[in-house]
């Protein structure tokens, strides 16, 4: 299972927040890195895999594309959610483009990359579908894999639930990743046991609950 460090980008810095309240996100200046400047941040932590979310572009109030292209040279694989709505906005390979349900216009127009099933308060946003049922229906799309992004749990260290994970894993045969609230090695064990292909983490790393060397190695179980 891949272990992917998350970096949310806002106003030119890596930020930390909770539960998707993006207006309250603050620079991540309390964690393991001595700086929240994105290039230096990633250079210091040295993750093998990185997930970068351009919050400004998602909110249509800015753009970190230049920084993201530089980050691609710092890691073995870069996964990017920049709020794209049409296939023409894909960044070039080897970047793995992520298409979020929050921002995409028509999912059947895309080919390749990951589908981010953006979940808030237990429902897929923006239309409020049941997560497992939506995941089953998403098998018809031409994405290489799927990320379940539990926005409500981002930054909360809330942990994960085995029954819920098992339900999600049973809904698709595509590679499946999970992010939001992954809080410990026990959570990583649970994600492994239920058959997930990747986990996106951040807060637990900075709190020392997931050792830094795990994101540097990029693999677990």
């Amino acid at each position: 299972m891949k272990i992917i460090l998350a970096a949310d980008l806002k106003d030119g810095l890596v930020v930390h927040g909770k539960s998707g309240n993006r207006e309250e996100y603050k620079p991540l200046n309390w964690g393991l890195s001595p700086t929240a400047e994105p290039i230096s941040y990633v250079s210091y932590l040295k993750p093998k895999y990185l997930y970068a979310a351009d919050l400004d572009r998602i909110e249509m109030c800015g753009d970190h594309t230049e920084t993201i292209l530089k980050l691609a040279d710092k890691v073995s694989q870069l996964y990017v959610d920049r709020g794209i709505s049409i296939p023409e906005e894909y960044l070039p390979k080897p970047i793995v483009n992520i298409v979020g349900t929050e921002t995409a216009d028509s999912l059947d127009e895309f080919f390749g990359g990951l589908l981010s099933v953006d979940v808030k308060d237990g429902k897929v946003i923006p239309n409020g579908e049941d997560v497992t049922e939506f995941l089953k229906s998403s098998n018809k799309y031409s994405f290489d894999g799927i990320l379940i992004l539990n926005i409500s749990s981002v930054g909360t260290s809330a942990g994960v639930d085995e029954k819920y994970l098992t339900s999600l894993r049973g809904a698709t045969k595509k590679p499946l990743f999970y992010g939001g609230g992954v809080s410990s090695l026990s959570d990583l064990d649970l994600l492994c046991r239920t058959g997930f292909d990747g986990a996106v983490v951040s807060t637990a790393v900075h709190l020392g609950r997931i050792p830094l060397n795990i994101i540097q190695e990029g693999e677990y179980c």
Side-chain angles (χ1 to χ4, degrees), residues 21-84:
N21 300 316
R22 293 171 182 155
E23 67 279 359
E24 299 176 6
Y25 282 24
K26 303 295 182 184
L28 209 169
N29 53 16
W30 52 265
L32 298 180
S33 172
T35 175
E37 190 282 314
I39 305 300
S40 298
Y41 176 90
V42 171
S43 297
Y44 186 84
L45 295 178
K46 296 181 173 61
K48 183 174 182 179
Y49 304 116
L50 183 70
Y51 163 95
D54 187 343
L55 300 184
D56 286 347
R57 198 174 189 279
I58 290 171
E59 297 284 350
M60 296 184 290
C61 62
D63 194 317
H64 292 85
T65 301
E66 183 177 345
T67 297
I68 287 169
L69 292 173
K70 292 178 181 178
L71 288 173
D73 294 329
K74 298 289 184 182
V75 295
S76 295
Q77 187 71 74
L78 178 61
Y79 301 82
V80 177
D81 186 345
R82 50 197 290 271
I84 61 178

Side-chain angles (χ1 to χ4, degrees), residues 1-3 160-170 176 178 184-199 220-221:
M1 184 173 75
K2 290 183 176 180
I3 307 300
V160 293
D161 177 77
E162 183 170 8
K163 183 178 179 181
Y164 180 58
L165 294 180
T166 301
S167 174
L168 296 175
R169 181 64 275 186
L176 189 60
Y178 188 91
S184 64
L185 292 177
S186 294
D187 284 347
L188 295 184
D189 289 336
L190 189 52
L191 285 160
C192 282
R193 192 161 65 248
T194 50
F196 279 73
D197 299 280
Y220 188 82
C221 74

Side-chain angles (χ1 to χ4, degrees), residues 39-220:
I39 305 300
S40 298
Y41 176 90
V42 171
S43 297
Y44 186 84
L45 295 178
K46 296 181 173 61
K48 183 174 182 179
Y49 304 116
L50 183 70
Y51 163 95
D54 187 343
L55 300 184
D56 286 347
R57 198 174 189 279
I58 290 171
E59 297 284 350
M60 296 184 290
C61 62
D63 194 317
H64 292 85
T65 301
E66 183 177 345
T67 297
I68 287 169
L69 292 173
K70 292 178 181 178
L71 288 173
D73 294 329
K74 298 289 184 182
V75 295
S76 295
Q77 187 71 74
L78 178 61
Y79 301 82
V80 177
D81 186 345
R82 50 197 290 271
I84 61 178
S85 57
I86 55 174
E88 288 76 13
E89 294 177 304
Y90 267 14
L91 293 177
K93 293 182 178 180
I95 288 173
V96 178
N97 292 276
I98 296 177
V99 178
T101 58
E102 179 182 3
T103 56
D105 290 337
S106 179
L107 296 176
D108 56 10
E109 295 180 358
F110 293 89
F111 183 86
L114 296 183
L115 169 64
S116 179
V117 181
D118 301 326
V119 180
K120 197 163 187 180
D121 300 326
K123 299 294 183 180
V124 179
I125 57 174
N127 296 324
E129 299 100 322
D130 175 81
V131 182
T132 301
E133 292 304 314
F134 181 86
L135 194 54
K136 291 177 182 177
S137 70
S138 69
N139 288 309
K140 63 186 177 184
Y141 302 124
S142 300
F143 294 99
D144 296 326
I146 299 172
L147 166 66
I148 304 295
L149 183 60
N150 192 343
I151 296 173
S152 298
S153 295
V154 167
T156 66
S157 298
V160 293
D161 177 77
E162 183 170 8
K163 183 178 179 181
Y164 180 58
L165 294 180
T166 301
S167 174
L168 296 175
R169 181 64 275 186
T172 180
K173 293 182 178 180
K174 289 180 180 287
L176 189 60
F177 300 73
Y178 188 91
V182 180
S183 64
S184 64
L185 292 177
S186 294
D187 284 347
L188 295 184
D189 289 336
L190 189 52
L191 285 160
C192 282
R193 192 161 65 248
T194 50
F196 279 73
D197 299 280
V200 179
V201 300
S202 177
T203 302
V205 175
H206 290 288
L207 293 175
R209 296 171 182 168
I210 293 176
L212 180 61
N213 70 290
I214 289 180
I215 66 161
Q216 293 173 340
E217 295 167 1
E219 310 290 340
Y220 188 82

